[in-house]
Amino acid sequence: MMRKPLLPLGFAAVCLLGLVVAALLGTRSVMHSYLGAWLIVLALPAGALPLAMGLEILPVDGLAIGSSLRRLLGLMPLAAVLALPVLLARRELFPDLGGATSGFAGAWNGTAFFVVRAILILLAWALLGVLFARPAARRRPMLAGFGLALHVVLVTLAAQDWILAVEPSFTSSAAGLLLLAAQSGMALAVAGLMSTRQSVSRAPDRLPAALAMTLAVWLFLAFTQYLVVWSANLPAEATWYRHRSADLGFGAEIAAGIICLVSLTVLPRAAARSSGLIAAVAALVALVHAGEMLWLVTPAIRGHFSVRLTDLLAVAGLVSLGLGFGRVFGAGTATGEIRRG
């Protein structure tokens, strides 16, 4: 039994050691690779959080996928600890941080307030995760509603601080909602894979519809933002998209679009008994959102989107670390289902 957590933890150690060696050799954009990989790991608990809170608001019976979502919440402490290298490398990752601007803007962009803000965001998410990691005997709609409202604020700040700030010339009022939709879609897809694996004969009954809904919302927000930028034809925003469409980026965008369209065609017609098909679609959706996290941050320093060895090492290392952490600490988390109050 001990080998199960030790294998991914050992693999994580090897990958992260390779990433450290690459950094010591002066390989460019190592920290951007780490930032993208960290955003992937963070997306699982941060995306599961609004879904878990939503289960306490919606008038539905306990869902089979609820326990998987709550297990993902257990990754939040690990994600918070893994934020330390991002905070230490903040000047390398976020070029406008600590600028000479005076007044409130200067204080807001100051390095000290950036660190304090990050700690508060992660701490708030961790506390919400503790509250909703286990099902309650009765529903808590007021607490869940407050938590959802707070989460929207936190994810908006996170999108501005940890994603848009890598290329500060680009601004977007929809960045927070886009990140929320991407995180929720990825967490739901991974939770669906976990639930389907536990019951090989059937997938959770509402999983296809839920996956289709989160994917459609994310696709709508992403296309709307692109349409607004294209219509405005502003140089800074156009440059941001051009960086992400260069090299491998254009092909990745086309592939992501095809996966989304096929998924939205297949999911509404998929029955719960089609567990293999649903698991395949969920895996593709998770892959799209994982790639999106790298697509958002790595082109800031490269000028184009590409997948490099440092990206693979960072993603494999942090994801394996999360898998090992989940196997060690997740077995006793999120047991049972929410019941009607």
Side-chain angles (χ1 to χ4, degrees):
M1 293 297 292
M2 285 299 295
R3 291 183 179 179
K4 288 187 176 181
L6 288 180
L7 283 176
L9 290 176
F11 183 69
V14 172
C15 293
L16 294 177
L17 179 61
L19 195 67
V20 171
V21 171
L24 294 176
L25 292 175
T27 304
R28 200 161 177 258
S29 76
V30 168
M31 285 311 304
H32 286 76
S33 298
Y34 183 91
L35 175 62
W38 175 67
L39 289 172
I40 291 173
V41 174
L42 177 67
L44 296 177
L49 184 57
L51 298 173
M53 291 188 289
L55 290 180
E56 300 222 15
I57 297 176
L58 297 176
V60 295
D61 292 325
L63 303 182
I65 202 172
S67 59
S68 296
L69 288 171
R70 289 189 287 272
R71 286 193 67 180
L72 291 178
L73 290 178
L75 291 175
M76 185 56 76
L78 176 65
V81 172
L82 293 177
L84 182 59
V86 174
L87 298 180
L88 293 176
R90 57 191 180 275
R91 291 187 180 274
E92 177 185 349
L93 291 170
F94 313 113
D96 276 7
L97 195 63
T101 307
S102 59
F104 177 77
W108 182 268
N109 291 322
T111 56
F113 195 24
F114 174 86
V115 172
V116 170
R117 202 159 56 240
I119 293 173
L120 291 177
I121 291 171
L122 294 169
L123 180 60
W125 274 340
L127 291 175
L128 288 173
V130 169
L131 286 174
F132 294 97
R134 289 183 179 273
R138 298 178 63 87
R139 294 187 183 277
R140 300 164 291 182
M142 292 187 63
L143 179 62
F146 172 79
L148 278 173
L150 178 60
H151 179 72
V152 172
V153 176
L154 296 176
V155 78
T156 300
L157 292 174
Q160 295 291 330
D161 281 356
W162 305 335
I163 294 178
L164 294 187
V166 298
E167 200 165 347
S169 59
F170 179 77
T171 58
S172 171
S173 58
L177 292 178
L178 260 170
L179 181 59
L180 191 155
Q183 289 178 335
S184 298
M186 185 175 175
L188 183 62
V190 172
L193 287 171
M194 294 166 60
S195 300
T196 302
R197 183 181 177 184
Q198 293 169 1
S199 178
V200 295
S201 60
R202 287 179 63 86
D205 291 336
R206 297 181 179 89
L207 178 59
L211 268 176
M213 182 182 68
T214 55
L215 187 60
V217 169
W218 172 78
L219 193 60
F220 171 78
L221 290 171
F223 177 75
T224 300
Q225 177 178 271
Y226 176 81
L227 183 62
V228 170
V229 170
W230 179 82
S231 301
N233 196 26
L234 298 175
E237 281 74 7
T239 300
W240 190 88
Y241 272 102
R242 188 167 63 248
H243 286 168
R244 284 148 185 81
S245 298
D247 200 0
L248 186 62
F250 181 73
E253 291 167 1
I254 296 298
I258 292 174
I259 290 173
C260 290
L261 292 178
V262 171
S263 300
L264 290 174
T265 302
V266 169
L267 285 172
R269 303 178 182 180
R273 62 179 177 274
S274 308
S275 58
L277 176 61
I278 296 173
V281 173
L284 288 174
V285 171
L287 182 63
V288 166
H289 289 307
E292 179 191 7
M293 299 303 158
L294 293 172
W295 181 87
L296 285 169
V297 298
T298 57
I301 192 171
R302 300 171 187 171
H304 60 273
F305 177 69
S306 60
V307 179
R308 298 183 179 179
L309 178 60
T310 54
D311 299 332
L312 298 178
L313 288 174
V315 172
L318 294 193
V319 170
S320 298
L321 190 61
L323 180 60
F325 183 88
R327 287 181 175 180
V328 172
F329 298 103
T333 303
T335 54
E337 299 297 333
I338 298 175
R339 300 175 181 177
R340 286 185 180 276

